[in-house]
Amino acid sequence: MTLLGVALTALLAFSPLALGLSSTLEQVDDFGDNPTNVGMYYYKPENVTENPALIVAVHYCTGTGTAYFEGTPYAQLADEYGFIAIYPSSPNEGTCWDVSSFETLKHGAGGDSYGIASMVGYAQTDWGVDPARVFVTGTSSGAMMTNVLAAAYPDLFAAGIVYSGVAAGCFMSSTGGVDAWNSTCSTGASTATPEQWANVVYDMYPDYTGEYPRMQEYHGTADDALEYPNFAEEVKQWASVFGYDAESPVQTLEDTPLEGYTKFVYGDRLQGISAEGVGHTVPVQGEEDLKWFGII
């Protein structure tokens, strides 16, 4: 096969037709305040419902919004259930998300989180998205951003799902560095009490008095990038926010949602899911996500 033939084959593999989609991935250039120039891509199916739900799906390091669209099932599920999906694209070198700077970790202060929050406002104003049915999820760096968004912009999201991340604020840079790596956190050595972790959340939006998004945290026991002890720190953080006991789940479900996965239910607003032997990252669960979001 010629190089042109290879290129055309690759292009077809990611075309809407090949993916079985009713529509195409589109881009919005001007969607509101966006201080770090985060890219906004979205998928709106042909059969989008009135006042639709919205899923913000946040990619991993080295990824892009386009890659996360291609590699996750949300577009196909959008065709089936009529919601809209947004795929933010990181502006940073290496395409990790800024989950470390002072700005991104404070409500309304700037950073990548602010740009993503602006996308939600645009979707509500221009597409009639139901404000009560806005959800966020992500993988790896996108998982870290999911926890940050749930903490810094809790008024925007009803629920979040985290695939292999760290607690909100765990990557905080002591110098306020943008997109800074934090080896202490990544190795699972950043530990704190549940109350201390909850205070990190509260400090991101000090004036907020409303409910925080329902959270579901996935982590693999063999994760060698964002190591497994981070799972316990994430659970401690949100358990304290919701008033649960991180040491005493009210229900433990083995082989759920897959064989080798254990789901710990702490209350109706928090679940932790441990994936035995799974490395970095835990695969996206698709329809299970929609169940947590209440779309199905």
Side-chain angles (χ1 to χ4, degrees):
M1 183 180 289
T2 65
L3 288 177
L4 177 59
V6 172
L8 289 173
T9 301
L11 180 62
L12 179 61
F14 295 119
S15 72
L17 180 62
L19 292 172
L21 301 178
S22 70
S23 189
T24 58
L25 187 70
E26 304 286 349
Q27 185 174 10
V28 178
D29 292 324
D30 185 7
F31 52 84
D33 292 338
N34 185 23
T36 62
N37 199 31
V38 176
M40 178 181 176
Y41 296 85
Y42 71 92
Y43 181 78
K44 184 190 294 186
E46 288 184 356
N47 65 331
V48 65
T49 60
E50 186 176 359
N51 303 123
L54 175 70
I55 294 179
V56 180
V58 193
H59 67 73
Y60 44 86
C61 285
T62 75
T64 61
T66 301
Y68 212 52
F69 160 73
E70 293 165 351
T72 57
Y74 300 119
Q76 290 88 344
L77 292 168
D79 271 345
E80 186 173 356
Y81 295 104
F83 62 85
I84 298 172
I86 287 178
Y87 303 89
S89 205
S90 168
N92 303 306
E93 184 177 357
T95 70
C96 293
W97 292 98
D98 175 19
V99 291
S100 60
S101 73
F102 298 148
E103 291 80 10
T104 204
L105 296 175
K106 185 73 71 174
H107 179 86
D112 293 351
S113 64
Y114 193 28
I116 295 173
S118 293
M119 296 177 195
V120 174
Y122 177 92
Q124 292 173 353
T125 300
D126 284 54
W127 301 332
V129 162
D130 183 349
R133 294 196 300 150
V134 178
F135 311 104
V136 61
T137 184
T139 295
S140 189
S141 183
M144 294 192 276
M145 177 55 80
T146 297
N147 275 328
V148 167
L149 288 167
Y153 296 92
D155 51 330
L156 294 183
F157 301 101
I161 300 174
V162 173
Y163 286 102
S164 307
V166 302
C170 189
F171 257 53
M172 184 184 299
S173 169
S174 61
T175 62
V178 173
D179 183 25
W181 186 257
N182 186 322
S183 295
T184 305
C185 179
S186 67
T187 58
S190 292
T191 61
T193 67
E195 294 75 20
Q196 288 170 330
W197 278 127
N199 284 333
V200 173
V201 170
Y202 302 146
D203 286 346
M204 292 190 195
Y205 194 174
D207 297 331
Y208 185 67
T209 58
E211 285 192 334
Y212 283 84
R214 294 179 292 108
M215 299 301 293
Q216 194 175 63
E217 308 279 337
Y218 282 85
H219 218 104
T221 63
D223 195 324
D224 60 359
L226 300 173
E227 296 187 20
Y228 186 65
N230 282 298
F231 177 58
E233 303 308 304
E234 293 173 287
V235 167
K236 285 195 291 184
Q237 182 172 60
W238 291 110
S240 184
V241 168
F242 296 130
Y244 302 147
D245 184 350
E247 299 296 324
S248 301
V250 298
Q251 196 173 16
T252 300
L253 303 172
E254 296 184 1
D255 295 325
T256 305
L258 298 173
E259 184 177 356
Y261 287 43
T262 303
K263 179 184 288 187
F264 301 98
V265 179
Y266 297 91
D268 59 0
R269 304 194 67 80
L270 177 63
Q271 296 179 356
I273 301 168
S274 176
E276 183 65 32
V278 176
H280 194 75
T281 57
V282 176
V284 170
Q285 296 301 303
E287 290 203 5
E288 288 294 321
D289 293 358
L290 299 197
K291 293 175 185 176
W292 180 247
F293 291 152
I295 293 175
I296 61 175

mmCIF file of all heavy atoms in Angstrom, residues 43-89:
data_model
loop_
_atom_site.group_PDB
_atom_site.id
_atom_site.type_symbol
_atom_site.label_atom_id
_atom_site.label_comp_id
_atom_site.label_asym_id
_atom_site.label_seq_id
_atom_site.Cartn_x
_atom_site.Cartn_y
_atom_site.Cartn_z
ATOM 1 N N TYR A 43 -19.048 17.398 20.202
ATOM 2 C CA TYR A 43 -19.828 16.492 19.373
ATOM 3 C C TYR A 43 -21.295 16.662 19.732
ATOM 4 O O TYR A 43 -21.685 16.444 20.877
ATOM 5 C CB TYR A 43 -19.417 15.031 19.569
ATOM 6 C CG TYR A 43 -20.204 14.094 18.683
ATOM 7 C CD1 TYR A 43 -19.880 13.971 17.331
ATOM 8 C CD2 TYR A 43 -21.287 13.372 19.170
ATOM 9 C CE1 TYR A 43 -20.612 13.146 16.499
ATOM 10 C CE2 TYR A 43 -22.032 12.546 18.343
ATOM 11 C CZ TYR A 43 -21.685 12.433 17.002
ATOM 12 O OH TYR A 43 -22.416 11.626 16.171
ATOM 13 N N LYS A 44 -22.085 17.076 18.747
ATOM 14 C CA LYS A 44 -23.517 17.245 18.928
ATOM 15 C C LYS A 44 -24.213 16.299 17.956
ATOM 16 O O LYS A 44 -24.147 16.500 16.735
ATOM 17 C CB LYS A 44 -23.938 18.694 18.666
ATOM 18 C CG LYS A 44 -25.420 18.965 18.934
ATOM 19 C CD LYS A 44 -25.840 20.339 18.433
ATOM 20 C CE LYS A 44 -25.176 21.458 19.200
ATOM 21 N NZ LYS A 44 -25.723 22.789 18.789
ATOM 22 N N PRO A 45 -24.893 15.271 18.454
ATOM 23 C CA PRO A 45 -25.519 14.310 17.545
ATOM 24 C C PRO A 45 -26.695 14.930 16.797
ATOM 25 O O PRO A 45 -27.235 15.961 17.202
ATOM 26 C CB PRO A 45 -25.987 13.202 18.489
ATOM 27 C CG PRO A 45 -26.207 13.887 19.795
ATOM 28 C CD PRO A 45 -25.145 14.948 19.872
ATOM 29 N N GLU A 46 -27.095 14.283 15.719
ATOM 30 C CA GLU A 46 -28.226 14.787 14.953
ATOM 31 C C GLU A 46 -29.515 14.760 15.764
ATOM 32 O O GLU A 46 -30.388 15.603 15.577
ATOM 33 C CB GLU A 46 -28.394 13.963 13.672
ATOM 34 C CG GLU A 46 -27.309 14.225 12.635
ATOM 35 C CD GLU A 46 -27.562 13.480 11.343
ATOM 36 O OE1 GLU A 46 -28.544 12.705 11.278
ATOM 37 O OE2 GLU A 46 -26.776 13.674 10.400
ATOM 38 N N ASN A 47 -29.610 13.802 16.678
ATOM 39 C CA ASN A 47 -30.850 13.626 17.444
ATOM 40 C C ASN A 47 -30.736 14.190 18.853
ATOM 41 O O ASN A 47 -31.343 13.674 19.783
ATOM 42 C CB ASN A 47 -31.224 12.143 17.526
ATOM 43 C CG ASN A 47 -30.201 11.337 18.322
ATOM 44 O OD1 ASN A 47 -29.028 11.692 18.349
ATOM 45 N ND2 ASN A 47 -30.629 10.264 18.980
ATOM 46 N N VAL A 48 -29.996 15.289 19.017
ATOM 47 C CA VAL A 48 -29.819 15.864 20.345
ATOM 48 C C VAL A 48 -31.182 16.211 20.950
ATOM 49 O O VAL A 48 -32.074 16.720 20.266
ATOM 50 C CB VAL A 48 -28.898 17.098 20.290
ATOM 51 C CG1 VAL A 48 -29.512 18.227 19.494
ATOM 52 C CG2 VAL A 48 -28.525 17.571 21.684
ATOM 53 N N THR A 49 -31.355 15.892 22.227
ATOM 54 C CA THR A 49 -32.638 16.110 22.886
ATOM 55 C C THR A 49 -32.824 17.582 23.251
ATOM 56 O O THR A 49 -31.868 18.359 23.274
ATOM 57 C CB THR A 49 -32.750 15.272 24.164
ATOM 58 O OG1 THR A 49 -31.702 15.653 25.064
ATOM 59 C CG2 THR A 49 -32.628 13.790 23.847
ATOM 60 N N GLU A 50 -34.042 17.960 23.565
ATOM 61 C CA GLU A 50 -34.305 19.312 24.053
ATOM 62 C C GLU A 50 -33.708 19.448 25.455
ATOM 63 O O GLU A 50 -33.815 18.540 26.267
ATOM 64 C CB GLU A 50 -35.805 19.571 24.089
ATOM 65 C CG GLU A 50 -36.173 21.002 24.452
ATOM 66 C CD GLU A 50 -37.673 21.250 24.382
ATOM 67 O OE1 GLU A 50 -38.408 20.316 24.029
ATOM 68 O OE2 GLU A 50 -38.085 22.380 24.697
ATOM 69 N N ASN A 51 -33.074 20.598 25.728
ATOM 70 C CA ASN A 51 -32.381 20.814 27.004
ATOM 71 C C ASN A 51 -31.500 19.617 27.352
ATOM 72 O O ASN A 51 -31.685 18.963 28.378
ATOM 73 C CB ASN A 51 -33.389 21.084 28.126
ATOM 74 C CG ASN A 51 -34.281 22.267 27.835
ATOM 75 O OD1 ASN A 51 -35.499 22.156 27.825
ATOM 76 N ND2 ASN A 51 -33.680 23.411 27.586
ATOM 77 N N PRO A 52 -30.520 19.332 26.503
ATOM 78 C CA PRO A 52 -29.746 18.094 26.654
ATOM 79 C C PRO A 52 -28.795 18.124 27.836
ATOM 80 O O PRO A 52 -28.443 19.186 28.361
ATOM 81 C CB PRO A 52 -28.955 18.033 25.344
ATOM 82 C CG PRO A 52 -28.767 19.478 24.972
ATOM 83 C CD PRO A 52 -30.061 20.147 25.368
ATOM 84 N N ALA A 53 -28.371 16.926 28.229
ATOM 85 C CA ALA A 53 -27.269 16.789 29.169
ATOM 86 C C ALA A 53 -25.962 17.087 28.444
ATOM 87 O O ALA A 53 -25.883 17.049 27.214
ATOM 88 C CB ALA A 53 -27.246 15.381 29.750
ATOM 89 N N LEU A 54 -24.919 17.385 29.216
ATOM 90 C CA LEU A 54 -23.594 17.679 28.674
ATOM 91 C C LEU A 54 -22.545 16.882 29.433
ATOM 92 O O LEU A 54 -22.545 16.870 30.667
ATOM 93 C CB LEU A 54 -23.287 19.175 28.806
ATOM 94 C CG LEU A 54 -21.884 19.632 28.381
ATOM 95 C CD1 LEU A 54 -21.717 19.528 26.868
ATOM 96 C CD2 LEU A 54 -21.609 21.063 28.858
ATOM 97 N N ILE A 55 -21.660 16.205 28.706
ATOM 98 C CA ILE A 55 -20.496 15.559 29.311
ATOM 99 C C ILE A 55 -19.248 16.275 28.833
ATOM 100 O O ILE A 55 -19.011 16.405 27.621
ATOM 101 C CB ILE A 55 -20.422 14.068 28.948
ATOM 102 C CG1 ILE A 55 -21.595 13.304 29.569
ATOM 103 C CG2 ILE A 55 -19.098 13.472 29.406
ATOM 104 C CD1 ILE A 55 -21.608 11.826 29.233
ATOM 105 N N VAL A 56 -18.451 16.766 29.755
ATOM 106 C CA VAL A 56 -17.138 17.337 29.455
ATOM 107 C C VAL A 56 -16.114 16.232 29.673
ATOM 108 O O VAL A 56 -15.959 15.733 30.792
ATOM 109 C CB VAL A 56 -16.838 18.549 30.355
ATOM 110 C CG1 VAL A 56 -15.466 19.125 30.034
ATOM 111 C CG2 VAL A 56 -17.916 19.615 30.196
ATOM 112 N N ALA A 57 -15.438 15.817 28.604
ATOM 113 C CA ALA A 57 -14.525 14.669 28.631
ATOM 114 C C ALA A 57 -13.098 15.153 28.416
ATOM 115 O O ALA A 57 -12.759 15.650 27.336
ATOM 116 C CB ALA A 57 -14.925 13.663 27.552
ATOM 117 N N VAL A 58 -12.248 14.989 29.430
ATOM 118 C CA VAL A 58 -10.948 15.659 29.481
ATOM 119 C C VAL A 58 -9.822 14.645 29.266
ATOM 120 O O VAL A 58 -9.701 13.668 30.002
ATOM 121 C CB VAL A 58 -10.773 16.380 30.833
ATOM 122 C CG1 VAL A 58 -9.581 17.322 30.762
ATOM 123 C CG2 VAL A 58 -12.035 17.171 31.205
ATOM 124 N N HIS A 59 -8.986 14.906 28.283
ATOM 125 C CA HIS A 59 -7.980 13.954 27.839
ATOM 126 C C HIS A 59 -6.773 13.854 28.773
ATOM 127 O O HIS A 59 -6.581 14.646 29.684
ATOM 128 C CB HIS A 59 -7.525 14.280 26.413
ATOM 129 C CG HIS A 59 -6.755 15.579 26.296
ATOM 130 N ND1 HIS A 59 -5.462 15.740 26.735
ATOM 131 C CD2 HIS A 59 -7.105 16.790 25.768
ATOM 132 C CE1 HIS A 59 -5.036 16.960 26.478
ATOM 133 N NE2 HIS A 59 -6.032 17.632 25.908
ATOM 134 N N TYR A 60 -5.926 12.895 28.480
ATOM 135 C CA TYR A 60 -4.701 12.548 29.204
ATOM 136 C C TYR A 60 -3.503 13.342 28.665
ATOM 137 O O TYR A 60 -3.592 13.987 27.604
ATOM 138 C CB TYR A 60 -4.438 11.041 29.020
ATOM 139 C CG TYR A 60 -4.645 10.615 27.584
ATOM 140 C CD1 TYR A 60 -3.624 10.714 26.642
ATOM 141 C CD2 TYR A 60 -5.898 10.175 27.161
ATOM 142 C CE1 TYR A 60 -3.835 10.370 25.317
ATOM 143 C CE2 TYR A 60 -6.119 9.825 25.841
ATOM 144 C CZ TYR A 60 -5.083 9.923 24.913
ATOM 145 O OH TYR A 60 -5.296 9.600 23.600
ATOM 146 N N CYS A 61 -2.367 13.275 29.350
ATOM 147 C CA CYS A 61 -1.118 13.853 28.827
ATOM 148 C C CYS A 61 -0.772 13.200 27.488
ATOM 149 O O CYS A 61 -0.968 11.983 27.318
ATOM 150 C CB CYS A 61 0.042 13.608 29.788
ATOM 151 S SG CYS A 61 0.046 14.622 31.269
ATOM 152 N N THR A 62 -0.224 13.981 26.578
ATOM 153 C CA THR A 62 0.112 13.631 25.190
ATOM 154 C C THR A 62 -1.134 13.519 24.320
ATOM 155 O O THR A 62 -1.011 13.368 23.107
ATOM 156 C CB THR A 62 0.933 12.320 25.038
ATOM 157 O OG1 THR A 62 0.097 11.172 25.238
ATOM 158 C CG2 THR A 62 2.118 12.293 25.991
ATOM 159 N N GLY A 63 -2.309 13.588 24.908
ATOM 160 C CA GLY A 63 -3.537 13.497 24.135
ATOM 161 C C GLY A 63 -4.029 14.857 23.688
ATOM 162 O O GLY A 63 -3.421 15.903 23.933
ATOM 163 N N THR A 64 -5.164 14.842 23.009
ATOM 164 C CA THR A 64 -5.839 16.049 22.540
ATOM 165 C C THR A 64 -7.342 15.817 22.677
ATOM 166 O O THR A 64 -7.792 14.685 22.898
ATOM 167 C CB THR A 64 -5.533 16.338 21.064
ATOM 168 O OG1 THR A 64 -5.998 15.231 20.273
ATOM 169 C CG2 THR A 64 -4.039 16.552 20.835
ATOM 170 N N GLY A 65 -8.102 16.882 22.510
ATOM 171 C CA GLY A 65 -9.540 16.710 22.494
ATOM 172 C C GLY A 65 -9.974 15.769 21.386
ATOM 173 O O GLY A 65 -10.861 14.920 21.575
ATOM 174 N N THR A 66 -9.343 15.878 20.218
ATOM 175 C CA THR A 66 -9.664 15.006 19.093
ATOM 176 C C THR A 66 -9.358 13.550 19.419
ATOM 177 O O THR A 66 -10.145 12.642 19.111
ATOM 178 C CB THR A 66 -8.885 15.438 17.842
ATOM 179 O OG1 THR A 66 -9.216 16.794 17.532
ATOM 180 C CG2 THR A 66 -9.223 14.564 16.652
ATOM 181 N N ALA A 67 -8.214 13.305 20.047
ATOM 182 C CA ALA A 67 -7.833 11.929 20.388
ATOM 183 C C ALA A 67 -8.801 11.327 21.401
ATOM 184 O O ALA A 67 -9.134 10.132 21.316
ATOM 185 C CB ALA A 67 -6.408 11.896 20.940
ATOM 186 N N TYR A 68 -9.267 12.131 22.349
ATOM 187 C CA TYR A 68 -10.196 11.605 23.358
ATOM 188 C C TYR A 68 -11.567 11.344 22.734
ATOM 189 O O TYR A 68 -12.263 10.411 23.125
ATOM 190 C CB TYR A 68 -10.297 12.575 24.525
ATOM 191 C CG TYR A 68 -10.534 11.893 25.856
ATOM 192 C CD1 TYR A 68 -9.730 10.847 26.298
ATOM 193 C CD2 TYR A 68 -11.561 12.305 26.701
ATOM 194 C CE1 TYR A 68 -9.946 10.226 27.524
ATOM 195 C CE2 TYR A 68 -11.786 11.705 27.924
ATOM 196 C CZ TYR A 68 -10.976 10.662 28.328
ATOM 197 O OH TYR A 68 -11.198 10.049 29.539
ATOM 198 N N PHE A 69 -11.953 12.163 21.784
ATOM 199 C CA PHE A 69 -13.169 11.901 21.004
ATOM 200 C C PHE A 69 -13.057 10.555 20.293
ATOM 201 O O PHE A 69 -13.987 9.740 20.313
ATOM 202 C CB PHE A 69 -13.370 13.033 19.996
ATOM 203 C CG PHE A 69 -14.266 12.711 18.835
ATOM 204 C CD1 PHE A 69 -15.631 12.610 18.999
ATOM 205 C CD2 PHE A 69 -13.720 12.536 17.561
ATOM 206 C CE1 PHE A 69 -16.455 12.322 17.910
ATOM 207 C CE2 PHE A 69 -14.541 12.257 16.473
ATOM 208 C CZ PHE A 69 -15.905 12.141 16.648
ATOM 209 N N GLU A 70 -11.915 10.300 19.676
ATOM 210 C CA GLU A 70 -11.722 9.067 18.909
ATOM 211 C C GLU A 70 -11.584 7.839 19.799
ATOM 212 O O GLU A 70 -11.985 6.735 19.417
ATOM 213 C CB GLU A 70 -10.477 9.206 18.031
ATOM 214 C CG GLU A 70 -10.623 10.251 16.929
ATOM 215 C CD GLU A 70 -9.297 10.639 16.301
ATOM 216 O OE1 GLU A 70 -8.240 10.229 16.830
ATOM 217 O OE2 GLU A 70 -9.309 11.368 15.291
ATOM 218 N N GLY A 71 -11.020 8.025 20.999
ATOM 219 C CA GLY A 71 -10.663 6.883 21.825
ATOM 220 C C GLY A 71 -11.623 6.540 22.941
ATOM 221 O O GLY A 71 -11.382 5.591 23.699
ATOM 222 N N THR A 72 -12.694 7.294 23.081
ATOM 223 C CA THR A 72 -13.684 7.026 24.128
ATOM 224 C C THR A 72 -15.055 6.840 23.482
ATOM 225 O O THR A 72 -15.283 7.276 22.346
ATOM 226 C CB THR A 72 -13.747 8.177 25.142
ATOM 227 O OG1 THR A 72 -14.037 9.408 24.444
ATOM 228 C CG2 THR A 72 -12.433 8.318 25.903
ATOM 229 N N PRO A 73 -16.005 6.212 24.184
ATOM 230 C CA PRO A 73 -17.304 5.894 23.576
ATOM 231 C C PRO A 73 -18.365 6.981 23.699
ATOM 232 O O PRO A 73 -19.525 6.743 23.344
ATOM 233 C CB PRO A 73 -17.729 4.653 24.361
ATOM 234 C CG PRO A 73 -17.163 4.871 25.727
ATOM 235 C CD PRO A 73 -15.842 5.563 25.497
ATOM 236 N N TYR A 74 -17.987 8.172 24.172
ATOM 237 C CA TYR A 74 -19.024 9.159 24.475
ATOM 238 C C TYR A 74 -19.771 9.648 23.238
ATOM 239 O O TYR A 74 -20.977 9.925 23.308
ATOM 240 C CB TYR A 74 -18.427 10.334 25.248
ATOM 241 C CG TYR A 74 -17.816 9.923 26.561
ATOM 242 C CD1 TYR A 74 -16.463 10.118 26.818
ATOM 243 C CD2 TYR A 74 -18.584 9.290 27.538
ATOM 244 C CE1 TYR A 74 -15.904 9.713 28.021
ATOM 245 C CE2 TYR A 74 -18.031 8.878 28.731
ATOM 246 C CZ TYR A 74 -16.676 9.101 28.967
ATOM 247 O OH TYR A 74 -16.128 8.681 30.149
ATOM 248 N N ALA A 75 -19.100 9.771 22.093
ATOM 249 C CA ALA A 75 -19.796 10.226 20.891
ATOM 250 C C ALA A 75 -20.837 9.201 20.446
ATOM 251 O O ALA A 75 -21.971 9.559 20.099
ATOM 252 C CB ALA A 75 -18.794 10.499 19.769
ATOM 253 N N GLN A 76 -20.457 7.922 20.452
ATOM 254 C CA GLN A 76 -21.417 6.881 20.090
ATOM 255 C C GLN A 76 -22.597 6.865 21.063
ATOM 256 O O GLN A 76 -23.760 6.702 20.659
ATOM 257 C CB GLN A 76 -20.739 5.517 20.073
ATOM 258 C CG GLN A 76 -19.760 5.327 18.917
ATOM 259 C CD GLN A 76 -18.353 5.812 19.248
ATOM 260 O OE1 GLN A 76 -18.139 6.550 20.214
ATOM 261 N NE2 GLN A 76 -17.386 5.403 18.444
ATOM 262 N N LEU A 77 -22.302 7.042 22.345
ATOM 263 C CA LEU A 77 -23.370 7.077 23.348
ATOM 264 C C LEU A 77 -24.229 8.329 23.196
ATOM 265 O O LEU A 77 -25.434 8.299 23.452
ATOM 266 C CB LEU A 77 -22.766 6.997 24.744
ATOM 267 C CG LEU A 77 -22.120 5.659 25.097
ATOM 268 C CD1 LEU A 77 -21.295 5.770 26.375
ATOM 269 C CD2 LEU A 77 -23.173 4.562 25.242
ATOM 270 N N ALA A 78 -23.616 9.436 22.776
ATOM 271 C CA ALA A 78 -24.385 10.655 22.516
ATOM 272 C C ALA A 78 -25.395 10.424 21.408
ATOM 273 O O ALA A 78 -26.537 10.910 21.464
ATOM 274 C CB ALA A 78 -23.450 11.801 22.163
ATOM 275 N N ASP A 79 -25.004 9.686 20.370
ATOM 276 C CA ASP A 79 -25.945 9.346 19.305
ATOM 277 C C ASP A 79 -27.125 8.555 19.848
ATOM 278 O O ASP A 79 -28.269 8.729 19.416
ATOM 279 C CB ASP A 79 -25.235 8.511 18.230
ATOM 280 C CG ASP A 79 -24.592 9.364 17.153
ATOM 281 O OD1 ASP A 79 -24.920 10.560 17.062
ATOM 282 O OD2 ASP A 79 -23.759 8.838 16.406
ATOM 283 N N GLU A 80 -26.847 7.685 20.802
ATOM 284 C CA GLU A 80 -27.889 6.818 21.332
ATOM 285 C C GLU A 80 -28.806 7.541 22.312
ATOM 286 O O GLU A 80 -30.028 7.307 22.322
ATOM 287 C CB GLU A 80 -27.257 5.608 22.008
ATOM 288 C CG GLU A 80 -28.254 4.562 22.473
ATOM 289 C CD GLU A 80 -27.596 3.283 22.980
ATOM 290 O OE1 GLU A 80 -26.347 3.181 22.902
ATOM 291 O OE2 GLU A 80 -28.332 2.390 23.445
ATOM 292 N N TYR A 81 -28.225 8.451 23.120
ATOM 293 C CA TYR A 81 -29.008 9.034 24.217
ATOM 294 C C TYR A 81 -29.245 10.539 24.070
ATOM 295 O O TYR A 81 -29.908 11.134 24.920
ATOM 296 C CB TYR A 81 -28.319 8.742 25.551
ATOM 297 C CG TYR A 81 -28.299 7.264 25.865
ATOM 298 C CD1 TYR A 81 -27.131 6.513 25.716
ATOM 299 C CD2 TYR A 81 -29.452 6.607 26.283
ATOM 300 C CE1 TYR A 81 -27.112 5.153 25.987
ATOM 301 C CE2 TYR A 81 -29.449 5.249 26.555
ATOM 302 C CZ TYR A 81 -28.270 4.525 26.406
ATOM 303 O OH TYR A 81 -28.264 3.180 26.660
ATOM 304 N N GLY A 82 -28.692 11.178 23.035
ATOM 305 C CA GLY A 82 -29.062 12.545 22.720
ATOM 306 C C GLY A 82 -28.401 13.636 23.528
ATOM 307 O O GLY A 82 -28.865 14.775 23.524
ATOM 308 N N PHE A 83 -27.302 13.337 24.223
ATOM 309 C CA PHE A 83 -26.586 14.399 24.952
ATOM 310 C C PHE A 83 -25.488 14.991 24.061
ATOM 311 O O PHE A 83 -25.237 14.523 22.940
ATOM 312 C CB PHE A 83 -26.006 13.858 26.265
ATOM 313 C CG PHE A 83 -24.995 12.756 26.114
ATOM 314 C CD1 PHE A 83 -23.648 13.029 25.889
ATOM 315 C CD2 PHE A 83 -25.382 11.415 26.230
ATOM 316 C CE1 PHE A 83 -22.712 12.011 25.774
ATOM 317 C CE2 PHE A 83 -24.456 10.385 26.103
ATOM 318 C CZ PHE A 83 -23.121 10.682 25.865
ATOM 319 N N ILE A 84 -24.839 16.025 24.554
ATOM 320 C CA ILE A 84 -23.722 16.682 23.859
ATOM 321 C C ILE A 84 -22.439 16.398 24.636
ATOM 322 O O ILE A 84 -22.462 16.333 25.871
ATOM 323 C CB ILE A 84 -23.965 18.200 23.740
ATOM 324 C CG1 ILE A 84 -25.223 18.483 22.909
ATOM 325 C CG2 ILE A 84 -22.757 18.906 23.116
ATOM 326 C CD1 ILE A 84 -25.638 19.951 22.908
ATOM 327 N N ALA A 85 -21.338 16.215 23.920
ATOM 328 C CA ALA A 85 -20.039 16.001 24.566
ATOM 329 C C ALA A 85 -19.067 17.096 24.144
ATOM 330 O O ALA A 85 -18.988 17.454 22.958
ATOM 331 C CB ALA A 85 -19.468 14.638 24.201
ATOM 332 N N ILE A 86 -18.352 17.644 25.117
ATOM 333 C CA ILE A 86 -17.280 18.605 24.869
ATOM 334 C C ILE A 86 -15.951 17.927 25.169
ATOM 335 O O ILE A 86 -15.805 17.233 26.182
ATOM 336 C CB ILE A 86 -17.440 19.868 25.738
ATOM 337 C CG1 ILE A 86 -18.597 20.726 25.237
ATOM 338 C CG2 ILE A 86 -16.153 20.692 25.754
ATOM 339 C CD1 ILE A 86 -18.849 21.961 26.084
ATOM 340 N N TYR A 87 -14.970 18.160 24.289
ATOM 341 C CA TYR A 87 -13.627 17.597 24.445
ATOM 342 C C TYR A 87 -12.614 18.739 24.488
ATOM 343 O O TYR A 87 -12.114 19.170 23.442
ATOM 344 C CB TYR A 87 -13.305 16.660 23.281
ATOM 345 C CG TYR A 87 -14.288 15.525 23.100
ATOM 346 C CD1 TYR A 87 -15.426 15.683 22.305
ATOM 347 C CD2 TYR A 87 -14.092 14.298 23.717
ATOM 348 C CE1 TYR A 87 -16.338 14.647 22.137
ATOM 349 C CE2 TYR A 87 -14.994 13.254 23.557
ATOM 350 C CZ TYR A 87 -16.114 13.439 22.767
ATOM 351 O OH TYR A 87 -17.014 12.415 22.589
ATOM 352 N N PRO A 88 -12.303 19.263 25.679
ATOM 353 C CA PRO A 88 -11.286 20.316 25.769
ATOM 354 C C PRO A 88 -9.926 19.798 25.309
ATOM 355 O O PRO A 88 -9.629 18.599 25.410
ATOM 356 C CB PRO A 88 -11.261 20.654 27.268
ATOM 357 C CG PRO A 88 -12.525 20.091 27.822
ATOM 358 C CD PRO A 88 -12.840 18.899 26.988
ATOM 359 N N SER A 89 -9.100 20.702 24.804
ATOM 360 C CA SER A 89 -7.770 20.317 24.324
ATOM 361 C C SER A 89 -6.729 21.208 24.999
ATOM 362 O O SER A 89 -6.796 22.438 24.935
ATOM 363 C CB SER A 89 -7.692 20.475 22.799
ATOM 364 O OG SER A 89 -6.725 19.631 22.234
#
